[in-house]
Amino acid sequence: MTQLISGKRPGPVVLDIVGKQLDAEDARRIAHPLTGGVILFARNFESRAQLLALTRAIRAVRDDVLICIDHEGGRVQRCKTDGFTHLPAMSRLGELWDRDVLAATKAAVDCGYVLASELRACDIDLSFTPVLDLDYGRSAVIGDRAFHADPRVVTMLANHLAHGLLLAGMANCGKHFPGHGYVAADSHVAVPIDERPLEEILAQDARPYDWMGLSLASVMPAHVIYPQVDAQPAGFSRIWLQDILRSQLGFEGVIFSDDLSMEGASVAGSVTEAARAALGAGCDMVLICNHPERADQLLDELDVTIGKASQRRIRKLFARRRPLDWNKLHRQPQYRAALRQLKALDLVA
């Protein structure tokens, strides 16, 4: 059985829920000691009141699970109505950078602050953002989710976005290490292969993971195989996660696997085999989404011991302060100023 430590004690599994309210099966999975997080999707959102009721119901089952969401802006934003600001795709910030560097960096801070403030008002701990992939113009699944083609610009804008997140009490997650932007295949439905040599990837795609330094709180590796480095996708590779990300780049935050139900993870075997491989390679937490039966299989079959180092890292991702009431948030001068600046730049409606 998993050995837990005092205080916040999340297990290694991040799973999703079926609908807009918890049912008995959702509650059973969340209560399992191997569960350490819940990830929300658009199907879990109807309104702010409903979302807040849902996060409160999750906390009532377990007050030590990390509540997460994929909420980047653009086409990857789970909450878009009932007052939520529809944030721009991050490529819009890159385009602004090319015209006005200072305006772009300030807008990145404002985007991060608005994003995190609104999610925190609904008691969500973490959004899996920013995307650190480079825009090579060849990956449809990344596309305008990327800030820019230049790793220096990506790093600067991501750092400013992360600063905005932090001002609202939220950590960050850089993805998809070491880079998903070069390959055309979508790892949701295929197993992408990037044939470039290690030196080229480190000199370009992996640069933001080095340059962001201590401001990078967590990382999600790509379900991409880089055969000149390892035969396994990055998320199942000790070379990528231990030798390069941890040792060479000095990363000390949390490593999440990408969703183990994606086609890009199929090379690792069953969901349980994939989870063991990811955790063995160096992931602290593994995601299983959109398949409740596979989540049940994983909770039934996974037998791991969570190290104290992983526990310490995970605890740092929980939100830094209590969430503001939505009405109080909309009266807050910082939030109002951030929205006003984004509207002035025509980045939000």
Side-chain angles (χ1 to χ4, degrees), residues 276-289:
R276 288 179 182 137
L279 294 167
C283 287
D284 299 289
M285 304 190 88
V286 294
L287 275 68
I288 178 67
C289 309

Side-chain angles (χ1 to χ4, degrees), residues 42-268:
R43 67 172 182 271
N44 305 126
F45 174 75
E46 180 178 86
S47 67
R48 287 185 287 105
Q50 168 269 326
L51 181 60
L52 185 55
L54 178 59
T55 57
R56 285 174 175 167
I58 294 169
R59 302 284 188 206
V61 176
R62 288 274 299 279
D63 66 357
D64 62 345
V65 294
L66 191 72
I67 301 181
C68 313
I69 195 168
D70 270 330
H71 195 87
E72 304 166 5
R75 57 194 159 96
V76 182
Q77 179 168 331
R78 308 309 187 194
C79 311
K80 298 179 182 178
T81 58
D82 198 18
F84 273 92
T85 303
H86 196 174
L87 294 160
M90 293 300 100
S91 65
R92 296 279 306 280
L93 298 179
E95 293 165 1
L96 180 58
W97 172 284
D98 291 335
R99 303 192 305 269
D100 188 333
V101 169
L102 293 179
T105 55
K106 188 176 187 305
V109 176
D110 291 336
C111 278
Y113 190 76
V114 170
L115 185 159
S117 295
E118 292 179 351
L119 292 178
R120 287 298 303 127
C122 295
D123 203 11
I124 294 171
D125 292 301
L126 177 70
S127 177
F128 291 118
T129 189
V131 169
L132 300 182
D133 301 314
L134 306 187
D135 182 10
Y136 285 94
R138 59 197 304 170
S139 172
V141 71
I142 301 302
D144 63 1
R145 298 165 65 191
F147 288 102
H148 205 274
D150 187 333
R152 296 168 296 182
V153 179
V154 170
T155 302
M156 291 296 292
L157 291 176
N159 256 331
H160 282 81
L161 184 93
H163 182 58
L165 296 173
L166 190 61
L167 288 173
M170 183 176 284
N172 62 74
C173 181
K175 59 187 187 184
H176 307 82
F177 177 79
H180 200 313
Y182 189 80
V183 290
D186 178 356
S187 56
H188 290 87
V189 296
V191 183
I193 298 176
D194 188 335
E195 298 280 2
R196 292 178 298 162
L198 174 62
E199 294 74 20
E200 182 176 342
I201 297 168
L202 290 180
Q204 293 293 323
D205 303 63
R207 283 291 196 180
Y209 296 90
D210 183 13
W211 288 337
M212 283 189 74
L214 294 175
S215 67
L216 191 59
S218 64
V219 164
M220 181 177 287
H223 285 328
V224 176
I225 296 174
Y226 308 86
Q228 295 204 41
V229 181
D230 196 342
Q232 294 297 318
F236 306 106
S237 166
R238 288 187 64 85
I239 296 173
W240 279 115
L241 301 187
Q242 298 288 345
D243 298 346
I244 297 174
L245 182 60
R246 291 260 188 242
S247 297
Q248 186 171 334
L249 303 183
F251 177 67
E252 296 184 355
V254 172
I255 303 177
F256 291 93
S257 82
D258 207 342
D259 179 11
L260 297 180
S261 69
M262 291 165 57
E263 184 62 27
S266 64
V267 296

Side-chain angles (χ1 to χ4, degrees), residues 18-35:
V18 174
K20 295 178 175 65
Q21 296 84 31
L22 287 190
D23 63 21
E25 290 298 287
D26 293 321
R28 175 183 58 78
R29 294 184 191 100
I30 294 168
H32 196 285
L34 284 179
T35 299

